[in-house]
């Protein structure tokens, strides 16, 4: 007589738990990719936040002078620099911002180096130079924006930043209490626990919860500068000009050519705005160095010189700290631009180099909703808007990012099986495709690089890794 053996069925995993494990796996993979980039962004960002203070320390002897009664004319200050650098081309002049500060002249040398030369405004003495290609803060900014490898680095930083948003969203979902709300482990790390893995888990989860909004703000306000997303963002809003500018000046030359070599000459809101040209009828009078030529006359007969342009900027009540980009061609213009700590004081003036006429004057009043939001976000992002408190708040966000990265690596290392990557295993029953497809579609619409990369990761995960036993054992 045969014996009947009954096998108790294993209860199926609930859809909620399967989705939780799927999100945990996404979170893990995103972390593997994002952590190195986020560490670089957080560290370089924290350094760049304090650029004014660091510059004052590194270049004190170049930036600080003894005040005197009368300063030399600006054209004479510029001429003093050109006498020392006769083969260089002057591109920008920044008047001294205080009685004890030097003036700054931007130069491009014959061998394509980009220098900032400091000159004593009272004596005309050239105090020294700073190579903007090798400047510490320029290197930090290039690391922060493109990892020092150009366009590819720009795209990698953008992709990592957008994946950082995926990490934040998935991390908040994983942080939600599943077995009842408790303060320990949810709002406060359980430092009293003897379980070190639990302490690191709490540090990771709780700091992520408190820092999520700050980190998301940093990522979102940095994206307008990103290559792919920033260009796409601008193209989209170009279809709705009333949301960007109400009455932009028309021309074929773009001011975006002024923002190069890692230096910002005009605000983001004006970067792509068409720039007028100097009167073509006067082009025959143009000299190789129009900024030094006193023979150029305004309509009233006064010479158009650097002194004239600076005096005009002050008469127009342009905020202190403005710079003057010098015309380099027959149709070029003088561009006066300033983007102080308060973006509401931003101004950009384009001035005809022959007549002295203001061809365009763009400020906060001309910005519409989108550029105002972007410029305000950038000012806060860079720690400029409300002084030292702003710097410290953004520094806190950077430190939270570092803590999340370090604690994430430690958590992974502590739970990693020997000889394996230790990714959370795929659920026993594959999650329905509807939710992942919706997520990919939304992310692909808002962040195209993330949507594409997430699709690639999901296809590899479900179609390759889960079906190759060796890969499955190595990764899970």
């Amino acid at each position: 007589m045969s014996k009947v053996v009954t096998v108790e069925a294993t209860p199926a995993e609930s859809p909620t738990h399967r989705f939780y494990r799927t999100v945990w796996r996404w979170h893990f993979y995103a972390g593997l990719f994002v952590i190195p980039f986020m560490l670089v962004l957080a560290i370089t960002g924290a350094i760049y936040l304090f650029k004014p203070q660091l510059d004052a320390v590194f270049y004190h002897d170049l930036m600080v002078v003894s005040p005197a009664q009368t300063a030399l004319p600006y054209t004479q200050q510029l001429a003093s620099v050109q006498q020392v650098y006769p083969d260089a081309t002057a591109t920008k002049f920044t008047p001294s911002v205080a009685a004890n500060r030097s003036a700054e002249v931007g130069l491009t040398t014959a061998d394509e180096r980009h220098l900032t030369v400091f000159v004593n405004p009272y004596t005309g003495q050239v105090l020294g130079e700073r190579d903007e290609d090798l400047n510490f803060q320029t290197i930090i900014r290039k690391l922060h924006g493109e990892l020092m490898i150009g366009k590819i680095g720009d795209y990698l930083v953008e992709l990592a930043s957008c994946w950082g948003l995926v990490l934040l969203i998935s991390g908040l979902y994983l942080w939600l209490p599943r077995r009842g709300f408790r303060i320990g482990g949810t709002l406060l790390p359980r430092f009293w626990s003897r379980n070190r893995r639990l302490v690191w888990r709490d540090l990771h989860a709780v700091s992520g919860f408190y820092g999520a909004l700050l980190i998301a703000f940093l990522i979102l306000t940095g994206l307008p500068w990103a290559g792919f997303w920033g260009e796409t963002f601008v193209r989209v809003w170009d279809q709705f000009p009333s949301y960007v500018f109400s009455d932009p000046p028309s021309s074929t030359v773009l001011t975006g050519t002024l923002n190069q070599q890692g230096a910002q000459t005009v605000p983001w809101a004006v970067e792509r705005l068409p720039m007028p040209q100097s009167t073509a009828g006067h082009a025959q009078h143009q000299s190789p160095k129009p900024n030094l030529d006193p023979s150029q006359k305004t309509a009233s007969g006064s010479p158009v010189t650097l002194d004239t342009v600076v005096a005009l900027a002050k008469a127009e009540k342009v905020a202190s700290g403005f710079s003057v980009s010098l015309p380099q061609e027959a149709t070029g213009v003088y561009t006066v631009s300033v983007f102080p700590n308060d973006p509401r004081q931003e101004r950009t003036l384009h001035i005809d180099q022959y007549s002295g006429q203001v061809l365009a004057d763009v400020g906060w009043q001309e910005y519409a909703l989108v550029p105002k939001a972007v410029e305000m976000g950038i000012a806060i992002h860079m720690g400029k808007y409300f002084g030292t408190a702003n710097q410290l708040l953004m520094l806190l966000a950077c430190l939270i990012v570092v803590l999340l990265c370090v604690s994430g690596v430690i958590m992974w290392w502590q739970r990693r099986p020997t000889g394996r990557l230790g990714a959370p295993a795929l659920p026993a029953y594959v999650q329905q495709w509807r939710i992942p497809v919706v997520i990919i579609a939304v992310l692909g619409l808002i962040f195209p690089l993330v949507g594409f990369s997430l699709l690639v990761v999901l296809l590899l995960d479900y179609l390759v890794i889960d079906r190759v036993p060796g890969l499955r054992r190595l990764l899970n």
Side-chain angles (χ1 to χ4, degrees):
M1 188 174 182
S2 61
K3 184 177 180 181
V4 179
V5 179
T6 59
V7 180
E8 185 176 349
T10 303
E13 189 176 17
S14 69
T16 301
H17 192 254
R18 290 202 305 270
F19 185 68
Y20 179 90
R21 290 175 60 188
T22 302
V23 172
W24 186 15
R25 190 173 176 91
W26 290 4
H27 190 78
F28 177 84
Y29 281 141
L32 282 182
F33 169 69
V34 163
I35 282 175
F37 296 100
M38 281 298 180
L39 280 174
V40 172
L41 290 175
I43 293 170
T44 55
I47 294 172
Y48 201 78
L49 279 171
F50 296 92
K51 181 182 185 300
Q53 292 91 333
L54 291 173
D55 281 350
V57 173
F58 291 167
Y59 308 109
H60 180 270
D61 293 341
L62 300 178
M63 296 174 64
V64 178
V65 298
S66 298
Q69 288 293 330
T70 307
L72 297 173
Y74 299 109
T75 49
Q76 192 170 336
Q77 296 176 37
L78 185 56
S80 298
V81 173
Q82 297 239 269
Q83 288 173 4
V84 178
Y85 298 86
D87 298 326
T89 301
T91 57
K92 185 166 70 170
F93 180 86
T94 304
S96 56
V97 296
N100 66 337
R101 292 288 295 274
S102 59
E104 301 178 11
V105 178
L107 296 178
T108 300
T109 64
D111 57 353
E112 297 299 320
R113 290 188 302 139
H114 302 92
L115 307 178
T116 294
V117 178
F118 299 84
V119 57
N120 188 319
Y122 304 103
T123 65
Q125 177 189 1
V126 174
L127 304 174
E129 66 181 46
R130 181 175 69 202
D131 191 325
E132 293 303 332
D133 299 319
L134 301 176
N135 173 23
F136 174 71
Q137 289 294 346
T138 300
I139 294 173
I140 290 297
R141 181 165 179 157
K142 287 185 176 180
L143 274 172
H144 189 77
E146 58 182 41
L147 306 176
M148 301 288 289
I149 55 176
K151 204 69 174 178
I152 294 176
D154 185 4
Y155 287 160
L156 285 174
V157 168
E158 177 183 342
L159 183 59
S161 299
C162 294
W163 268 101
L165 291 175
V166 175
L167 270 177
L168 286 177
I169 296 170
S170 58
L172 287 174
Y173 175 79
L174 298 174
W175 167 86
L176 290 172
R178 293 190 298 152
R179 298 174 182 173
F181 177 83
R182 288 179 296 184
I183 293 179
T186 303
L187 299 180
L188 292 175
R190 286 167 284 188
F191 292 116
W192 56 85
S193 174
R194 295 183 179 180
N195 186 338
R196 294 296 90 189
R197 288 176 57 179
L198 185 65
V199 173
W200 281 110
R201 177 265 170 203
D202 286 359
L203 274 174
H204 188 81
V206 175
S207 61
F209 166 70
Y210 286 117
L213 287 179
L214 276 178
I215 297 170
F217 174 83
L218 279 177
I219 293 173
L220 291 173
T221 52
L223 282 177
W225 291 105
F228 186 83
W229 194 93
E231 288 294 323
T232 304
F233 177 74
V234 169
R235 284 197 209 100
V236 170
W237 283 108
D238 278 348
Q239 307 306 312
F240 307 95
S242 61
Y243 290 95
V244 184
F245 290 100
S246 55
D247 186 23
S250 60
S251 183
T252 57
V253 183
L254 298 179
T255 61
T257 56
L258 295 176
N259 279 353
Q260 292 182 352
Q261 313 304 333
Q264 184 182 3
T265 300
V266 295
W268 178 92
V270 187
E271 189 175 53
R272 293 175 59 89
L273 198 63
M275 182 168 67
Q277 297 179 340
S278 289
T279 309
H282 295 266
Q284 65 270 23
H285 302 299
Q286 193 257 355
S287 69
K289 292 183 175 60
N291 45 290
L292 295 177
D293 184 6
S295 66
Q296 298 166 12
K297 303 287 183 178
T298 64
S300 61
S302 302
V304 178
T305 65
L306 182 59
D307 293 324
T308 310
V309 174
V310 174
L312 176 60
K314 291 182 177 180
E316 292 289 337
K317 296 185 175 9
V318 177
S320 176
F322 64 83
S323 64
V324 180
S325 295
L326 309 172
Q328 304 299 310
E329 299 174 349
T331 57
V333 296
Y334 287 98
T335 297
V336 176
S337 59
V338 62
F339 34 98
N341 294 345
D342 187 345
R344 293 172 296 183
Q345 296 180 358
E346 289 180 358
R347 289 279 294 281
T348 301
L349 279 68
H350 298 305
I351 302 168
D352 190 299
Q353 65 169 301
Y354 304 108
S355 68
Q357 179 185 359
V358 177
L359 303 176
D361 183 353
V362 182
W364 184 261
Q365 310 88 282
E366 284 70 44
Y367 299 175
L369 179 62
V370 173
K372 282 182 177 178
V374 171
E375 288 295 344
M376 188 63 72
I378 289 173
I380 299 174
H381 179 110
M382 297 179 69
K384 295 167 52 178
Y385 185 51
F386 47 95
T388 304
N390 194 167
Q391 291 177 307
L392 294 177
L393 182 62
M394 295 299 103
L395 175 63
L396 174 63
C398 293
L399 294 177
I400 292 175
V401 171
V402 172
L403 176 59
L404 288 172
C405 293
V406 172
S407 59
V409 170
I410 292 176
M411 288 167 58
W412 164 70
W413 190 260
Q414 288 178 337
R415 66 178 293 277
R416 178 185 61 90
T418 303
R420 297 186 184 183
L421 186 63
L426 275 171
Y429 300 90
V430 176
Q431 173 69 28
Q432 294 180 353
W433 282 96
R434 182 168 38 185
I435 295 178
V437 166
V438 170
I439 293 174
I440 292 173
V442 172
L443 288 174
L445 182 64
I446 304 175
F447 308 108
L449 289 181
V450 171
F452 175 76
S453 60
L454 182 55
L455 179 61
V456 171
V457 169
L458 286 178
L459 290 176
L460 285 174
D461 205 11
Y462 286 117
L463 301 181
V464 179
I465 295 175
D466 194 44
R467 285 165 172 75
V468 179
L471 280 177
R472 188 168 62 246
R473 283 194 301 271
L474 176 66
L475 297 179
N476 291 342

